Amino acid sequence: MVSLRTYTTEVGVLGRIKTDLQTHGVIVPPGLQDELEREWNAPAIKNGRFVFCLKSPVDGHLTTVLIINGKFADNSPFHLVKSGPGEFEVWKDYVKYTEVVMLPRPKFYDRKTSDGVPMSDIAVIGEPNHLRSVLNQRCVYQQLGKACKFCAVESWWAGYRDKSPAHVAEVAEAAYKEGMAKHVTLSTGTKLTTGKGLEDLVATAKIIHQKAPKATMTLNFEPVTDYGLLEELLLEGKKAGATTALCNIECFDESMREDIMPLKGTHSIETYIKVWEKCTEIFDHNEVYTMAIAGLGESDESILKGVELAASHGVVCSIVPHTPMRKAVYEDMSPPEVSRVLYLYEEALPIYDKYGLRLYGGTGGIYTSLKGM
Ligand code: SF4
């Protein structure tokens, strides 16, 4: 019997709603898609990816929900409705389910970089005050036909695939000056270099730091196993404004890792621990994150043991429901049941508490409903 203790509190109810919407998807009628793409922060809505916020009934705090409408969402009972000027709701079949808040459209979406690329194809606002971009969107593992099976990085939100550090920095400067972003998450597909692409994130951070010295950043990368180089890059990144590191493990079950991630999964869990330790040494506890995906065939036990393992090294491991993406190898899978995801959240919360970890102190969390619990 699953305890729903947390999800019966007012704030916990938002977690339940968020999980429900993420694991079913939210259908947006074509006419409304046009309007949202034109007038709101929804540049990739026609790709099935968009964000909105749920407002806390307690303090008005906004919890961001990232929706990824894969094939599974074609039969979702949820659909988005415009209920008035600038007002939106999600309905479940014929009944209102929740109000949602769309984020305003940044002005920089209508601008182009100095070499003519639409800025909204370089980076997007993923949460209030938070810009995101993925460099090296042509991950080398995808090029080799050995992509992680849950991943569709090539069709991620900001569609320009040949982004350079200068492109991303130019958009970050525009977003910062417009007052739309104080924090930038820099992610990368993997490169065939010793730095695996982290070197490009650091190069980007350095340019951003020159143009917007107060902007803070998250560096999101695959394990770099040259630990001397890793330390050097993280220290340079920190000097350039990076405050947080994100190194996603995705699956803690050693017997499944290489099947799910044919090349990335060859990194052992031990390797992740070494990388996390280097990250916490430089960025401190509570500033290093990883992620476990629920719904790839793993057991609850492997996820919860993994959350504890990461926490014991000062690393926050968020649990994310698998929302199978179009164009990923796993695009025909189904997301996990809501009750299972809520059970995992419920069991993970005391683990974070035990190790004194806060969940995403303002720099992420759009994939997990644990933020704001
Ligand atoms: S998740 Fe795997 S396939 Fe996707 S970008 Fe990262 S390394 Fe490449």
Side-chain angles (χ1 to χ4, degrees), residues 79-137:
H79 60 279
L80 194 69
V81 170
K82 184 174 180 185
S83 50
E87 290 173 10
F88 300 91
E89 296 170 352
V90 169
W91 282 48
K92 184 172 188 179
D93 297 321
Y94 303 104
V95 181
K96 177 181 161 184
Y97 182 68
T98 183
E99 288 169 12
V100 300
V101 179
M102 294 301 299
L103 297 178
R105 179 183 172 82
K107 292 194 184 67
F108 75 83
Y109 282 4
D110 296 319
R111 293 175 51 193
K112 291 187 174 172
T113 61
S114 39
D115 61 350
V117 183
M119 287 194 171
S120 62
D121 279 349
I122 299 289
V124 294
I125 297 295
E127 291 185 83
N129 290 318
H130 191 156
L131 187 78
R132 289 174 170 267
S133 187
V134 181
L135 279 111
N136 307 315
Q137 217 162 325

Side-chain angles (χ1 to χ4, degrees), residues 150-202:
F150 50 78
C151 179
V153 66
E154 289 208 14
S155 55
W156 197 228
W157 345 13
Y160 188 67
R161 292 179 191 165
D162 296 312
K163 302 179 194 89
S164 66
H167 280 130
V168 178
E170 194 176 352
V171 178
E173 182 188 7
Y176 187 84
K177 289 197 170 150
E178 195 189 321
M180 296 305 288
K182 294 181 185 154
H183 189 87
V184 185
T185 289
L186 299 168
S187 305
T188 180
T190 296
K191 274 178 86 176
L192 262 191
T193 56
T194 320
K196 307 278 178 65
L198 175 58
E199 68 276 26
D200 291 342
L201 305 188
V202 172

Side-chain angles (χ1 to χ4, degrees), residues 146-150 249-269 272 292-303 322 330 333 340:
K146 303 266 185 191
C148 305
K149 292 180 180 171
F150 50 78
I249 193 161
E250 274 102 7
C251 176
F252 281 99
D253 185 332
E254 287 278 22
S255 68
M256 296 175 62
R257 288 178 49 74
E258 275 192 63
D259 178 39
I260 296 169
M261 301 172 277
L263 287 179
K264 187 179 172 183
T266 56
H267 291 303
S268 66
I269 293 175
Y272 273 87
I293 303 177
L296 299 174
E298 72 299 311
S299 66
D300 292 352
E301 193 193 4
S302 82
I303 289 185
H322 182 215
Y330 283 164
M333 282 180 81
R340 177 178 180 223

Side-chain angles (χ1 to χ4, degrees), residues 306-328:
V307 169
E308 176 123 27
L309 178 71
S312 68
H313 291 275
V315 174
V316 179
C317 176
S318 57
I319 301 168
V320 174
H322 182 215
T323 47
M325 300 174 189
R326 287 180 203 274
K327 299 193 184 158

Side-chain angles (χ1 to χ4, degrees), residues 215-335:
T216 53
M217 284 160 255
T218 296
L219 306 175
N220 178 7
F221 53 94
E222 139 161 14
V224 174
T225 48
D226 177 335
Y227 299 111
L229 177 67
L230 175 64
E231 177 166 331
E232 199 181 300
L233 289 171
L234 293 178
L235 286 170
E236 283 178 29
K238 186 174 181 179
K239 208 165 149 202
T243 53
T244 315
L246 185 59
C247 186
N248 289 330
I249 193 161
E250 274 102 7
C251 176
F252 281 99
D253 185 332
E254 287 278 22
S255 68
M256 296 175 62
R257 288 178 49 74
E258 275 192 63
D259 178 39
I260 296 169
M261 301 172 277
L263 287 179
K264 187 179 172 183
T266 56
H267 291 303
S268 66
I269 293 175
E270 261 317 297
T271 300
Y272 273 87
I273 292 174
K274 284 191 191 144
V275 171
W276 294 337
E277 281 174 343
K278 187 55 74 188
C279 292
T280 49
E281 198 181 300
I282 291 167
F283 292 115
D284 215 343
H285 287 202
N286 271 312
E287 296 300 345
V288 180
Y289 300 96
T290 191
M291 174 230 273
I293 303 177
L296 299 174
E298 72 299 311
S299 66
D300 292 352
E301 193 193 4
S302 82
I303 289 185
L304 294 169
K305 273 191 172 168
V307 169
E308 176 123 27
L309 178 71
S312 68
H313 291 275
V315 174
V316 179
C317 176
S318 57
I319 301 168
V320 174
H322 182 215
T323 47
M325 300 174 189
R326 287 180 203 274
K327 299 193 184 158
V329 176
Y330 283 164
E331 66 176 347
D332 291 318
M333 282 180 81
S334 301

